[in-house]
Amino acid sequence: MKKSTQILEKVFDILGEILALLTIALYVVLFVNANWSFIPENVLNILNIIKDYAALVVVVIVGFEAVVKRGFVFKVLFLLVLAIIILAQFFPGTWENISKVF
């Protein structure tokens, strides 16, 4: 394995671990806030938006860590599936149109 691939894999590993811990901490804060409301409404709205995308970001980082050591075909397949997922999230009608084709 190339040295640059090993370095990139370690970077994605550390980044994935940090983001996973931050995501779990965010969920804990939101669960506690559900019982004892201490977060202002505007900050809570921002945290809920972050919550919606945090899991996707963690999965993407872990996926990058997995495909960085794989061949070109796996990288392209991962990026293609990722693009479909992101399109489906940002444009909900797109997923319905894609599913009608198949």
Side-chain angles (χ1 to χ4, degrees):
M1 192 183 309
K2 293 181 184 176
K3 185 161 179 85
S4 63
T5 303
Q6 290 175 340
I7 292 171
L8 197 55
E9 184 181 0
K10 287 182 183 183
V11 167
F12 283 135
D13 182 42
I14 292 169
L15 189 60
E17 290 172 3
I18 291 169
L19 288 175
L21 288 173
L22 289 174
T23 301
I24 290 172
L26 174 65
Y27 275 90
V28 167
V29 167
L30 290 174
F31 287 150
V32 170
N33 185 64
N35 288 325
W36 302 285
S37 295
F38 60 91
I39 298 176
E41 190 66 31
N42 55 351
V43 176
L44 186 61
N45 291 336
I46 294 169
L47 291 177
N48 280 323
I49 292 170
I50 293 171
K51 179 191 72 156
D52 291 339
Y53 295 104
L56 178 63
V57 170
V58 171
V59 169
V60 167
I61 296 296
V62 172
F64 283 152
E65 179 188 351
V67 298
V68 75
K69 55 190 167 193
R70 305 288 186 254
F72 178 75
V73 174
F74 285 110
K75 290 176 185 173
V76 170
L77 285 174
F78 176 75
L79 292 174
L80 182 66
V81 170
L82 179 62
I84 291 170
I85 291 170
I86 290 173
L87 278 175
Q89 265 200 321
F90 287 110
F91 306 106
T94 305
W95 182 251
E96 293 172 13
N97 292 337
I98 290 173
S99 62
K100 287 178 185 176
V101 170
F102 297 107

